[in-house]
């Protein structure tokens, strides 16, 4: 962990708090960072599929893999 001092737009912070369902600076900022990284990973996955590097699995293949667990 790293402790630092930053200036934060409180209106934007409170909006993020409401949107994320969090309370307080630490929880809200950490959740926002996780969310940003998750969205970036999903964007990369979409671009990967769109560039025909990988195709999405068919539904029947997904169902078979679920039954094997």
């Amino acid at each position: 962990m790293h402790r630092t001092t930053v200036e934060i737009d409180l209106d934007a912070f409170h909006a993020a708090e409401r949107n994320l369902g969090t309370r307080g600076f630490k929880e809200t900022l950490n959740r926002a960072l996780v969310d940003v990284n998750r969205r970036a990973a999903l964007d990369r996955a979409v671009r990967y599929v769109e560039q025909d590097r990988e195709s999405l699995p068919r539904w029947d293949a997904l169902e078979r893999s679920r039954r094997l667990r």
Side-chain angles (χ1 to χ4, degrees):
M1 290 291 175
H2 177 77
R3 185 176 290 253
T4 190
T5 301
V6 295
E7 290 183 24
I8 295 175
D9 176 334
L10 288 179
D11 291 334
F13 169 77
H14 291 301
E17 224 175 11
R18 285 189 302 276
N19 288 322
L20 295 169
T22 56
R23 291 184 54 163
F25 288 102
K26 183 178 179 179
E27 182 183 8
T28 302
L29 294 174
N30 284 332
R31 179 82 58 85
L33 293 172
V34 167
D35 191 53
V36 165
N37 289 319
R38 182 186 61 81
R39 289 172 188 241
L42 290 171
D43 287 344
R44 283 191 304 275
V46 167
R47 282 194 306 278
Y48 191 81
V49 170
E50 286 175 343
Q51 294 170 358
D52 290 328
R53 292 185 187 165
E54 185 66 47
S55 60
L56 294 173
R58 294 188 356 223
W59 286 110
D60 58 330
L62 288 173
E63 287 300 319
R64 271 196 313 275
S65 70
R66 287 184 185 136
R67 281 184 291 228
L68 295 174
R69 291 182 189 175

